Amino acid sequence: MKMLNEFVIKGSPETRTAQQKGARIMGRRIIFYEKPEVKKAKEELYFSMMPHVPDEPYEGPIYLRVLWLFDKKTMTKAENNSYKTSYPDLDNLAKGLLDVMTDLRFWNDDNELSKLELTKGWSKDYPGLFVQIWQLYPDEDSILEWRGGV
């Protein structure tokens, strides 16, 4: 593996996710749309990630490691630096992030991601979004290691 990119976006991450769609009925059809607050959250993420976009899109297989560390006004000692098990859902956070990274051309298509590691937690001292992008080498990085061999 070779690290391609690593960056941090400081501050408690946005909790609005791509799955928070609005709906309205027009005639006999239901029309889904992106709520304004979700659109704003995606735009903020987009602009905060722009300085980290590579000159050329990365090509797969790619390993993406992401850590969301949230802060809140009142946090117990036990919560600080612990896993977050409440809203928002980790898969919904990932979907919005991957959409933005694809739009910014970190890669040509997110189907080039072969390995994805996602974590969310609490941190009073270091809230933010932590991202690492690695290049996987099929001859060196065997998927069989994950299973402990076959």
Side-chain angles (χ1 to χ4, degrees):
M1 277 191 308
K2 174 186 166 192
M3 185 177 289
L4 300 172
N5 201 337
E6 178 178 37
F7 58 92
V8 176
I9 298 172
K10 294 181 180 178
S12 198
E14 182 59 59
T15 58
R16 293 180 181 98
T17 68
Q19 298 304 312
Q20 296 174 323
K21 302 273 186 208
R24 65 176 154 234
I25 298 174
M26 293 186 76
R28 294 182 178 186
R29 297 177 48 186
I30 298 175
I31 307 295
F32 293 97
Y33 64 94
E34 191 171 63
K35 292 182 178 179
E37 60 270 18
V38 173
K39 185 175 183 177
K40 182 179 180 216
K42 282 177 82 172
E43 286 174 356
E44 288 174 5
L45 182 60
Y46 184 95
F47 288 112
S48 62
M49 294 184 83
M50 280 183 79
H52 310 289
V53 175
D55 294 333
E56 295 291 323
Y58 301 128
E59 294 185 3
I62 298 169
Y63 168 28
L64 178 64
R65 241 180 125 188
V66 185
L67 170 62
W68 287 268
L69 288 179
F70 294 87
D71 190 10
K72 63 180 181 177
K73 292 177 184 167
T74 57
M75 185 182 304
T76 65
K77 267 189 170 179
E79 284 178 316
N80 193 28
N81 299 318
S82 66
Y83 291 107
K84 184 177 188 314
T85 58
S86 57
Y87 176 85
D89 294 354
L90 192 56
D91 60 327
N92 295 338
L93 284 170
K95 177 66 177 146
L97 177 69
L98 293 176
D99 288 347
V100 168
M101 292 181 83
T102 301
D103 289 346
L104 283 167
R105 309 265 307 144
F106 275 86
W107 38 73
N108 292 311
D109 194 292
D110 56 11
N111 66 11
E112 295 185 71
L113 294 171
S114 296
K115 186 174 182 180
L116 187 59
E117 182 180 329
L118 307 171
T119 307
K120 66 177 181 173
W122 297 110
S123 178
K124 193 164 194 68
D125 303 319
Y126 305 104
L129 174 64
F130 298 77
V131 178
Q132 291 182 338
I133 304 169
W134 298 78
Q135 178 71 60
L136 293 170
Y137 295 109
D139 54 331
E140 297 172 15
D141 303 307
S142 172
I143 62 171
L144 300 180
E145 290 175 20
W146 182 77
R147 296 184 63 198
V150 176

